RNA sequence: GUGGCCAUCGUUCAAUGGUUAGGACCGCGGUUUGUGGAGCCGCAGAUGAGGGUUCAAUUCCCUCUGGCCACCCCA
C-alpha cells in the first residue's frame, strides 16, 4: 500500500462525486452566462500583499489561513494561494483597464480556493466556489440583480427552501458611529467577555454581534440595531434593494446582526442559508458590496458587488436531500471483436461512430467475446458491434440479444443509429 | 489554531493479547474451447505510519498522518 495520501482537507473527487460537482459547476456557468456574465480565469496565486491589504491583515483568513508560497531564490515578491476570488478579480479589472469597458463589468468564475483551516464536512482546505462579481455600478439595481441571480440559481438546482438573509453594514461615513455605539453598549460587560470578544470590542465591535459566547449573545439582544444608525444614503440604498427584491420575487429575511467576515464589505451584505441544517453546511454562500476595495488595492475608487457560493456545500445539500444532479448518459455503443487482430479496426469504428456524434468505445482488453459482452452490458451499452475473424460485422442489440449482420460499414452506422434512436 | 470521537481488503461489516484476520459487495478468471445479464466454482486484496509495553499486539500505551464533531472562522 502506498504511503501517500491526499493532503489534509483536499480531496480526490471521482465517480458520482465528480459528476455532481461538474453538474453544479455547469449549472453555475449556465445561470451566470445567461445573465450576461463573462468568464474570468485568474491565477490561483497572487501577491500576498494583495490579500493582506484587500481582505485585511487582521482577518483570520489572512492572519492564519493563508497558504504562503515559499519563494524561489530569484523571486522577490511573496505569493500566496488565493483564499477567495474578489481581490484577484478586482486586481484583474484594474490591471486590464476594464473601467473603459461598458459598466458594470459582469464576471463569473467557478474555481478552487485555499484556506489553511481545520477541515470538516463542507469545509475543506481546497474548496470550490461559484463567484459572481459586478464591478463599476454604484446603484442599488445591480445589487438586486446579483442577489436574485444567486437565489434563483440555488432554487433551480432544487434547493427551493433557501433563505436570503439581508442587511446593510453601512459605509465609511456611518459605520464608525455605529461601531462607537456598539462599543458603548458592550463596554459595561467587558469583564464578562472572553478574550476573543474583548479584542473584537476594541478592533471590530460589529463582530460581537456574531459571537457565540453566552454573555455576548445576551447583551447583543439589546444592542442598538444597525439599520437605525445608517446614514440617509445607505438607508435609502438598502430600502431600494429590499423593495426591488420583493418585486423580483426574492423573499428576503432582514438580519440586522448579519456581518460578513472580510473587512472590505460596505452597505449591502447577504447570505444564502438553508434552514435546519447543522453547523456550517447550511451557510451556502454570501455576498456583499465592496465599494472601498478598489482604492484599497491601488486602483481608482470603483463600486462593486459580488457573491460566493460554496460548490461543495451545495453538492452536500443536494446529496442530503437526494436531489439528482447527474447528467443523463448518452446511449453507448461498444465495439468488440473476436481475435486480437481486430483491435485496430475496433478503434477505427469507435472513432468513426464518435465522429457521427454518438458515444462509442472499443473493447481493447485481450479477453474472449463472452467477457467483452459482459463488460459492455455492465457499462449499459445499447449496441455492440462484433468484428468477426473474417472482417465482417455483427450488430447486437443489447436489450434483447438480437443480432443482425450488416453487409458494409455504411449499413453498420445506419443500424447503430437506428438502435440508439430507439432508446 | 483548541478540545473530543474515530481508523481492519477498493467498499461495507466481523474477530482476537497467541495457528493461515473472516464474510458480503466490487474486480479478475473458470463453468469443456465464438456470444452479456442468473447460478455455481476459483483467484486477488486489509489491520494508516512509526515507536513502546509484552515471551507474543491488529487488540494496550505514545507520537504522527487522515476523517468526523464542537469551538474559532468561513464557502
Amino acid at each position: 500500500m502506498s504511503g501517500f495520501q491526499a493532503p489534509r482537507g483536499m480531496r480526490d473527487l471521482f465517480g458520482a462525486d465528480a459528476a455532481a460537482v461538474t453538474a453544479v459547476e455547469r449549472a453555475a456557468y449556465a445561470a451566470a452566462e445567461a445573465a450576461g456574465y463573462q468568464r474570468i480565469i485568474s491565477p490561483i496565486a497572487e501577491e500576498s500583499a494583495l490579500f493582506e491589504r484587500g481582505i485585511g491583515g487582521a482577518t483570520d483568513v489572512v492572519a492564519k489561513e493563508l497558504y504562503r508560497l515559499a519563494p524561489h531564490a530569484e523571486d522577490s515578491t511573496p505569493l500566496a494561494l488565493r483564499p477567495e476570488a474578489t481581490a484577484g478579480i478586482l486586481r484583474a479589472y484594474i490591471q486590464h483597464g476594464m473601467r473603459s469597458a461598458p459598466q458594470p463589468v459582469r464576471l463569473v468564475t467557478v474555481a478552487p480556493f485555499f484556506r489553511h483551516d481545520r477541515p470538516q464536512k463542507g469545509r475543506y482546505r481546497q474548496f470550490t466556489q461559484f463567484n459572481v462579481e459586478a464591478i463599476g455600478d454604484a446603484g442599488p439595481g445591480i445589487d438586486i440583480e446579483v442577489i436574485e441571480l444567486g437565489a434563483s440559481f440555488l432554487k433551480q438546482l432544487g434547493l427551493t427552501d433557501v433563505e436570503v438573509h439581508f442587511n446593510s453594514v453601512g459605509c465609511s461615513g456611518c459605520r464608525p458611529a455605529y461601531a462607537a455605539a456598539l462599543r458603548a453598549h458592550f463596554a459595561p460587560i467587558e469583564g464578562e467577555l472572553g478574550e476573543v470578544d474583548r479584542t473584537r470590542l476594541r478592533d471590530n465591535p460589529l463582530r460581537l454581534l456574531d459571537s457565540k459566547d453566552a454573555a455576548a449573545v445576551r447583551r447583543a439582544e439589546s444592542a442598538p440595531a444597525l439599520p437605525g444608525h445608517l446614514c440617509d444614503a445607505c438607508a435609502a440604498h438598502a430600502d431600494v434593494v429590499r423593495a426591488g427584491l420583493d418585486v423580483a420575487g426574492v423573499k428576503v429575511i432582514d438580519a440586522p446582526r448579519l456581518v460578513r467576515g472580510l473587512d472590505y464589505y460596505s452597505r449591502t451584505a447577504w447570505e444564502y442559508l438553508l434552514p435546519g441544517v447543522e453547523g456550517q453546511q447550511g451557510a451556502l454562500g454570501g455576498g456583499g458590496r465592496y465599494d472601498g476595495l478598489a482604492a484599497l488595492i491601488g486602483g481608482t475608487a470603483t463600486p462593486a458587488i459580488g457573491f460566493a457560493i460554496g460548490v461543495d456545500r451545495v453538492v452536500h445539500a443536494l446529496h442530503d436531500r437526494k436531489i439528482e444532479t447527474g447528467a443523463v448518459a448518452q446511449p453507448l455503443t461498444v465495439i468488440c471483436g473476436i481475435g486480437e487482430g481486430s483491435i485496430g479496426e475496433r478503434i477505427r469504428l469507435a472513432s468513426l461512430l464518435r465522429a457521427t456524434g454518438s458515444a462509442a468505445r472499443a473493447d481493447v482488453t485481450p479477453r474472449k467475446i463472452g467477457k467483452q459482452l459482459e463488460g459492455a452490458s455492465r457499462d449499459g451499452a445499447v449496441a455492440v458491434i462484433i468484428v468477426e475473424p473474417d472482417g465482417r460485422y455483427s450488430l447486437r442489440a443489447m436489450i434483447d440479444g438480437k443480432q443482425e449482420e450488416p453487409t458494409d460499414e455504411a449499413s453498420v452506422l445506419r443500424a447503430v443509429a437506428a438502435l440508439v434512436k430507439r432508446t
Side-chain angles (χ1 to χ4, degrees):
Chain A
M1 203 211 268
S2 161
F4 291 117
Q5 46 187 332
R8 170 169 248 201
M10 303 187 182
R11 304 171 299 156
D12 301 305
L13 295 175
F14 52 95
D17 296 333
V21 168
T22 305
V24 171
E25 179 181 319
R26 283 212 188 108
Y29 276 126
E33 288 179 331
Y37 287 73
Q38 310 270 314
R39 286 191 199 212
I40 179 165
I41 301 169
S42 62
I44 70 166
E46 297 276 355
E47 289 186 35
S48 307
L50 173 67
F51 302 125
E52 283 155 6
R53 271 200 273 158
I55 300 170
T59 60
D60 281 13
V61 167
V62 170
K64 41 187 245 200
E65 297 173 6
L66 205 58
Y67 274 94
R68 294 170 189 280
L69 301 185
H72 276 267
E74 70 270 26
D75 294 331
S76 53
T77 312
L79 303 182
L81 257 28
R82 35 137 95 146
E84 55 91 55
T86 303
I89 288 175
L90 197 58
R91 188 227 84 225
Y93 173 95
I94 295 165
Q95 178 178 340
H96 302 291
M98 292 188 205
R99 65 178 182 148
S100 60
Q103 306 291 298
V105 172
R106 295 177 166 88
L107 299 169
V108 57
T109 189
V110 180
F113 299 91
F114 303 86
R115 289 181 200 175
H116 188 99
D117 201 356
R118 192 80 168 261
Q120 245 169 271
K121 187 185 289 184
R123 194 241 307 245
Y124 305 101
R125 288 184 173 180
Q126 177 180 336
F127 56 101
T128 304
Q129 273 187 184
F130 166 30
N131 270 272
V132 155
E133 314 285 350
I135 307 168
D137 187 340
I142 193 68
D143 300 33
I144 302 167
E145 173 183 306
V146 169
I147 295 171
E148 194 281 335
L149 179 61
S152 62
F153 160 74
L154 292 168
K155 274 186 191 150
Q156 274 168 27
L157 281 176
L159 301 171
T160 48
D161 54 337
V162 67
E163 292 177 354
V164 180
H165 289 215
F166 177 89
N167 195 21
S168 173
V169 296
C171 61
S172 56
C174 53
R175 193 155 29 174
Y178 179 61
L182 272 184
R183 209 172 272 132
H185 178 74
F186 280 97
I189 63 156
E190 178 169 358
E192 303 168 39
L193 293 176
E195 194 183 330
V196 180
D197 281 339
R198 256 178 305 199
T199 316
R200 285 170 169 167
L201 180 62
R202 185 168 203 78
D203 300 336
N204 191 355
L206 291 220
R207 294 215 56 87
L208 282 169
L209 299 177
D210 226 13
S211 179
K212 305 290 189 300
D213 182 79
V217 170
R218 189 146 8 95
R219 192 67 178 170
E221 300 287 340
S222 58
L226 217 166
H229 284 73
L230 295 179
C231 62
D232 290 348
C234 284
H237 186 99
D239 287 344
V240 174
V241 174
R242 232 187 311 256
L245 283 169
D246 189 51
V247 173
V250 179
K251 264 187 239 136
V252 153
I253 297 171
D254 273 308
R257 282 156 46 192
L258 170 68
V259 286
R260 309 242 58 232
L262 309 180
D263 283 357
Y264 52 60
Y265 289 109
S266 58
R267 290 196 167 166
T268 305
W270 74 99
E271 288 180 354
Y272 300 111
L273 297 171
L274 282 180
V277 177
E278 295 283 313
Q280 278 317 312
Q281 289 174 71
L284 258 27
R289 181 166 270 286
Y290 47 97
D291 294 344
L293 180 56
L296 243 135
I297 63 175
T300 55
T302 309
I305 184 168
F307 68 69
I309 288 177
V311 170
D312 311 289
R313 287 183 186 175
V314 168
V315 168
H316 277 126
L318 293 172
H319 184 77
D320 287 348
R321 286 149 196 247
K322 310 217 184 318
I323 298 172
E324 284 299 324
T325 53
V328 279
Q330 244 191 111
L332 174 72
T333 302
V334 176
I335 296 88
C336 302
I338 294 159
E340 288 175 37
S342 67
I343 285 181
E345 170 68 1
R346 295 180 218 169
I347 290 171
R348 196 194 123 249
L349 275 180
S351 177
L352 199 63
L353 275 166
R354 277 181 234 124
T356 71
S358 74
R361 183 213 94 202
D363 192 311
V364 297
T365 308
R367 69 224 280 218
K368 45 172 80 167
I369 186 67
K371 291 295 175 187
Q372 296 182 41
L373 285 168
E374 196 179 323
S377 174
R378 251 178 308 199
D379 284 355
V382 297
V384 165
I385 298 169
I386 300 165
V387 180
E388 305 286 349
D390 61 4
R392 298 159 64 112
Y393 309 119
S394 295
L395 176 64
R396 183 182 185 85
M398 294 304 277
I399 187 147
D400 54 11
K402 285 193 181 137
Q403 282 192 201
E404 50 186 301
E405 303 200 348
T407 50
D408 56 24
E409 196 172 284
S411 46
V412 171
L413 296 182
R414 246 179 286 120
V416 167
L419 274 178
V420 164
K421 200 171 172 187
R422 219 186 299 157
T423 52

